[in-house]
Amino acid sequence: MNERYARQLLLDEIGEGGQARLSAGRVLLIGAGGLGSPAALYLAAAGMGTIALADSDVVELSNLNRQIAHSTSRINVPKVDSAAGVLRDLNPEVQVITHHMRVTEDNIAALIADYDFVLDCSDNFATKFMINDACTAAQKPFCHAGVMGFSSQLMTWLPGCTCFRCIFRQPPPGPQNKAVLGVAAGLAGTLQAMEAIKFVTGAGELLTNTLLTIDALQGEFHRVALPRNVECEACA
């Protein structure tokens, strides 16, 4: 096996078999910003075979305090192209696919079809509910993450498990608070990469039927059991 992965190959839960599964894995990240940047970097470093990025935005100066896949020299470059160059440089063995597009209800079903696992790295409630509904309809496993201020949350959905809409039902009214510390987004995005790696390799326990909440300011992590809503509009 490649020297690049020597340290993780020593892990009983990974080994050569797990690394082979990673090499064959196909993960889609919807969003290449504060969550998608650390997630994509760690997936590339681990040797995830195919990493796809879907995002319609370009790099802006205000992104750079948290969107670590980008840099000042790439302002006004599409985020998917900016991140793709970094990922390919980090690990040329990884195939990086870019979808410079706005993900909508009209195209999301076709977009997610080609991938094993989806990471919801979006930054708004409407897109998060859309991803949840499309993935549950297609029986496509995915990991949700959200971040606000110093806090973040994660959950993973597999068929038969509690989904995002089971818990939150509808997007909240009013404008969304955009205040966020970059490190808080980095924590959540890194854990999303961990969920994808666990899913593809079969190692460990996924955050299914569970909401992991992180208060970075207080250094507190909590797991909250999530009961499934048998009348959920999305997954029931």
Side-chain angles (χ1 to χ4, degrees):
M1 276 288 181
N2 195 312
E3 181 182 355
R4 179 184 298 272
Y5 312 117
R7 294 298 182 92
Q8 66 193 45
L9 286 168
L10 296 174
L11 296 167
D12 292 340
E13 295 84 352
I14 303 293
E16 293 191 2
Q19 194 63 51
R21 289 188 285 275
L22 283 174
S23 181
R26 297 175 58 84
V27 176
L28 168 68
L29 288 71
I30 300 180
L35 295 166
S37 289
L41 287 166
Y42 272 112
L43 289 175
M48 188 66 69
T50 300
I51 300 170
L53 307 170
D55 198 306
S56 63
D57 291 341
V58 299
V59 178
E60 298 178 2
L61 182 61
S62 63
N63 300 150
L64 300 182
N65 79 312
R66 65 197 180 280
Q67 302 184 18
I68 58 174
H70 312 302
S71 67
T72 305
S73 64
R74 295 196 296 279
I75 288 174
N76 294 325
V77 173
K79 287 184 182 178
V80 293
D81 296 334
S82 171
V86 173
L87 300 181
R88 290 170 181 142
D89 187 51
L90 174 63
N91 190 348
E93 298 176 2
V94 171
Q95 180 185 20
V96 182
I97 298 173
T98 59
H99 301 281
H100 185 213
M101 58 188 282
R102 182 175 178 81
V103 180
T104 68
E105 292 181 355
D106 294 330
N107 60 32
I108 189 170
L111 178 65
I112 66 177
D114 291 336
Y115 303 101
D116 305 320
F117 195 74
V118 176
L119 296 186
D120 167 15
C121 300
S122 64
D123 65 355
N124 64 86
F125 292 119
T127 303
K128 292 184 180 302
F129 278 91
M130 178 182 65
I131 293 169
N132 178 86
D133 295 351
C135 286
T136 53
Q139 300 286 280
K140 182 72 63 175
F142 76 99
C143 178
H144 150 80
V147 59
M148 185 181 297
F150 296 94
S151 301
S152 55
Q153 64 183 32
L154 293 96
M155 61 181 289
T156 292
W157 182 83
L158 299 178
C161 294
T162 304
C163 81
F164 185 73
R165 194 178 284 275
C166 282
I167 306 306
F168 298 104
R169 310 297 172 86
Q170 299 292 334
Q176 184 173 337
N177 184 350
K178 295 289 188 177
V180 60
L181 183 70
V183 177
L187 281 170
T190 299
L191 288 170
Q192 282 189 289
M194 187 72 246
E195 289 295 285
I197 290 169
K198 290 190 295 183
F199 174 81
V200 170
T201 63
E205 178 182 342
L206 292 167
L207 291 171
T208 51
N209 300 318
T210 300
L211 185 70
L212 177 67
T213 65
I214 306 167
D215 182 342
L217 197 59
Q218 302 300 323
E220 294 179 346
F221 289 68
H222 295 285
R223 291 174 61 107
V224 182
L226 299 179
R228 189 178 182 201
N229 177 8
V230 296
E231 298 180 353
C232 175
E233 296 177 7
C235 69

